[in-house]
Amino acid sequence: MPYDPSAFPPFAVTVDLVVLTVRRHALCALAVRRGEPPFQGRWALPGGFVRADEDLTQAAARELAEETGLCAHDPAAPAQDNGAHLEQLATYGDPERDPRMRVVSVAHLALAPDLPAPRAGGDASNARWAPVEELLQQGGYGRDGEPVAPLAFDHARILADGVERARSKIEYSSLATAFCPPEFTVGELRRVYEAVWGVALDPRNFHRKVTGTPGFLVPTGGTTTRQGGRPAQLFRAGGATLLNPPMLRPEV
Amino acid sequence: MPYDPSAFPPFAVTVDLVVLTVRRHALCALAVRRGEPPFQGRWALPGGFVRADEDLTQAAARELAEETGLCAHDPAAPAQDNGAHLEQLATYGDPERDPRMRVVSVAHLALAPDLPAPRAGGDASNARWAPVEELLQQGGYGRDGEPVAPLAFDHARILADGVERARSKIEYSSLATAFCPPEFTVGELRRVYEAVWGVALDPRNFHRKVTGTPGFLVPTGGTTTRQGGRPAQLFRAGGATLLNPPMLRPEV
DNA sequence: AGTGTTTATCGTCAGGAAGACGACTATGAT
DNA sequence: ATCATAGTCGTCTTCCTGACGATAAACACT
């Protein structure tokens, strides 16, 4: 069968972003308010069309920079100045997922340290960090008693998948350090695990585990008291990306 | 900004399949010979265009049925007659990956028990099961001394990603049973792990591990001697999909 | 029938990792 | 000075794993 351009239907391809961070002991995701139909006024995940000459990862990194100012951190490159971790999550292509047309969305997962207020095209009121539980509870009421509208499109499903990916991946990788500033303490890293998993971990066992895994953490020599209490050693993320044996998520 | 159909570039969307099975103690993948340019005559992964009214998973299941006759096994449904495990793998959208046009391919991973010879549109010579090492070695020589051409497009990368997914996922899930017939012995399951990981496992420790994990295997009461030696108990896959603690892949 | 081979299955033992938790240390706040 | 807060080092018990001996039940020979 020869090549026939009419043999396949055209699709629009977008990237959507699940951008996660830890703020005030809670796992939060970036949400933007939709300014146009469909779902006008509702919260949604940031995203946009993939351009004609752009790779999927490039498109995701571009959208991430537009929405947050974050520089995507290539997992291969060692530098991690202001870079966020970025990886592909999954692709969503239900024919009915966008009422306007056939859209296939390649969702990406980005993890970032706690940041100043988000910006969405310069308009702060149209972007916010919200706890993932708040974004995921469908038709409930938020902390302020206001009714919560579910996320636009299938974005609740995408967000849930991204959260689950993050929760499981910090078990066996050093991904949790992506939520931390370049230098951090063992306690700060533990609070990341506690926020992402929503559990309390024993500080002593956690300390033994992370400091006893070769290549996971490298001490910088400095100390800090920014958490109060006794000064804590500062560490950087070591070269080890895989955590073996894994950190076990406590049973419920 | 109002909706403007000209604001986004059109893409072709395809599904590609990494279909894995275990044959003669080796992890094998399904490859089809391309009958048209580009890469005419080269081996490639099976796949095809997503239709206008089709979900991505539906498209992958349809392609799988066309190429192998396998019925995709929905992970939610309990029945697993002739069903193969099917899950989304990753999406590949480099602008240069297809010289004809901009194609975004949503790769899927399928796992199946050992099957009779494959069929590709009824033409057996254009489809085969090949050991993954043979398909992945670029520019080397196959077992028969013939030079081996690398897979078409970026399919070597996709295959490598699918193999890595399968290798890591059988560690912490019951996915390895997807390579087995509905009833199987502990030894047959162990040979699956050995083929997928390319290692030898201790039969006694393996037996203790899989029979000691609640819900992983349920005995059917029957026995078989199809492997020779002492009769072995037959099992079916239990309801447990997660293996905790995981089966540890031996270090190299 | 006996012997060897193959595979399955049960047991034992030592080493290591993890959960529970006690004890001590070094800061800032009152 | 005292307390609250966090960090860090140990101890103990329990569980899991890897290494490996031993037995059981089939088949293929002679």
Side-chain angles (χ1 to χ4, degrees):
Chain A
M1 175 171 65
Y3 164 54
D4 174 9
S6 68
F8 59 90
F11 290 72
V13 175
T14 62
V15 290
D16 284 325
L17 291 177
V18 177
V19 191
L20 299 180
T21 194
V22 174
R23 318 191 85 193
R24 282 181 268 118
H25 286 215
L27 182 63
C28 294
L30 184 61
V32 297
R33 196 191 292 275
R34 285 189 58 79
E36 62 198 84
F39 300 100
Q40 185 167 19
R42 293 264 285 279
W43 294 99
L45 299 178
F49 290 109
V50 177
R51 295 179 181 164
D53 57 349
E54 213 178 27
D55 191 9
L56 300 174
T57 303
Q58 285 170 21
R62 174 177 54 76
E63 292 287 342
L64 182 64
E66 288 175 6
E67 302 284 349
T68 66
L70 283 168
C71 214
H73 170 52
D74 189 333
Q80 60 174 29
D81 31 289
N82 194 23
H85 172 88
L86 181 63
E87 67 178 47
Q88 193 185 108
L89 177 58
T91 300
Y92 301 82
D94 189 295
E96 314 294 332
R97 66 181 295 277
D98 189 318
R100 294 168 297 180
M101 56 186 164
R102 186 71 199 262
V103 178
V104 166
S105 178
V106 184
H108 288 251
L109 176 65
L111 308 183
D114 195 1
L115 297 168
R119 55 168 221 206
D123 187 352
S125 74
N126 286 334
R128 63 164 183 155
W129 294 106
V132 294
E133 291 82 13
E134 195 177 318
L135 291 173
L136 287 177
Q137 60 178 329
Q138 303 269 340
Y141 294 84
R143 259 180 319 181
D144 49 5
E146 298 263 324
V148 175
L151 289 173
F153 303 108
D154 52 358
H155 287 187
R157 163 94 190 283
I158 299 176
L159 175 60
D161 289 347
V163 168
E164 180 49 37
R165 169 82 65 94
R167 283 186 175 146
S168 69
K169 209 160 175 183
I170 64 173
E171 281 190 83
Y172 57 89
S173 77
S174 62
L175 202 56
T177 59
F179 286 114
C180 294
E183 297 199 351
F184 53 89
T185 70
V186 173
E188 289 166 345
L189 184 63
R190 175 172 49 82
R191 278 179 281 274
V192 165
Y193 276 90
E194 292 179 333
V196 174
W197 285 344
V199 298
L201 299 175
D202 185 287
R204 297 155 292 191
N205 293 336
F206 183 88
H207 189 277
R208 178 182 59 192
K209 174 72 177 173
V210 295
T211 57
T213 302
F216 187 32
L217 298 181
V218 289
T220 66
T223 61
T224 183
T225 65
R226 63 183 169 222
Q227 298 293 335
R230 171 177 164 178
Q233 266 189 284
L234 283 170
F235 294 88
R236 281 182 295 105
T241 60
L242 248 44
L243 198 49
N244 201 331
M247 174 103 51
L248 297 177
R249 181 167 12 170
E251 336 266 313
V252 178
Chain B
M1 179 170 64
Y3 165 53
D4 175 9
S6 67
F8 60 89
F11 290 73
V13 175
T14 62
V15 289
D16 285 325
L17 291 176
V18 176
V19 191
L20 300 180
T21 194
V22 173
R23 316 192 86 192
R24 281 179 270 116
H25 285 218
L27 182 63
C28 294
L30 183 61
V32 298
R33 196 190 293 275
R34 284 188 60 79
E36 59 198 87
F39 301 100
Q40 186 167 21
R42 294 264 285 279
W43 293 99
L45 299 178
F49 290 108
V50 178
R51 295 180 182 164
D53 57 351
E54 216 178 24
D55 191 9
L56 300 173
T57 304
Q58 285 171 20
R62 174 177 53 77
E63 291 287 342
L64 181 64
E66 288 175 5
E67 303 284 348
T68 66
L70 282 169
C71 213
H73 170 51
D74 188 332
Q80 60 174 29
D81 31 291
N82 194 23
H85 172 89
L86 181 62
E87 67 177 46
Q88 193 185 108
L89 177 58
T91 300
Y92 301 83
D94 189 296
E96 315 293 333
R97 66 180 293 277
D98 189 318
R100 294 168 297 180
M101 56 188 163
R102 185 71 199 265
V103 177
V104 165
S105 177
V106 184
H108 287 251
L109 176 66
L111 309 184
D114 196 359
L115 297 169
R119 55 167 222 206
D123 186 351
S125 74
N126 285 335
R128 63 164 182 154
W129 293 106
V132 294
E133 292 81 14
E134 193 176 320
L135 290 173
L136 286 177
Q137 59 179 329
Q138 304 271 339
Y141 293 86
R143 261 179 319 181
D144 48 5
E146 299 263 322
V148 175
L151 288 174
F153 304 108
D154 52 359
H155 287 187
R157 163 94 189 284
I158 298 175
L159 175 60
D161 289 348
V163 169
E164 179 49 36
R165 168 83 65 96
R167 282 186 175 146
S168 68
K169 208 160 175 180
I170 64 173
E171 279 190 84
Y172 58 89
S173 78
S174 61
L175 201 57
T177 59
F179 287 114
C180 295
E183 296 200 353
F184 54 89
T185 69
V186 173
E188 290 166 344
L189 184 62
R190 174 170 49 82
R191 278 179 279 275
V192 165
Y193 276 91
E194 291 179 334
V196 174
W197 285 344
V199 299
L201 299 176
D202 185 290
R204 297 156 292 190
N205 293 337
F206 184 87
H207 189 278
R208 179 183 57 190
K209 173 74 176 170
V210 297
T211 58
T213 301
F216 187 34
L217 298 181
V218 288
T220 67
T223 61
T224 184
T225 64
R226 62 182 170 224
Q227 298 292 335
R230 171 177 165 180
Q233 266 189 283
L234 283 170
F235 294 88
R236 282 183 295 105
T241 60
L242 247 45
L243 199 49
N244 200 332
M247 175 106 48
L248 297 177
R249 182 167 11 171
E251 335 267 312
V252 181

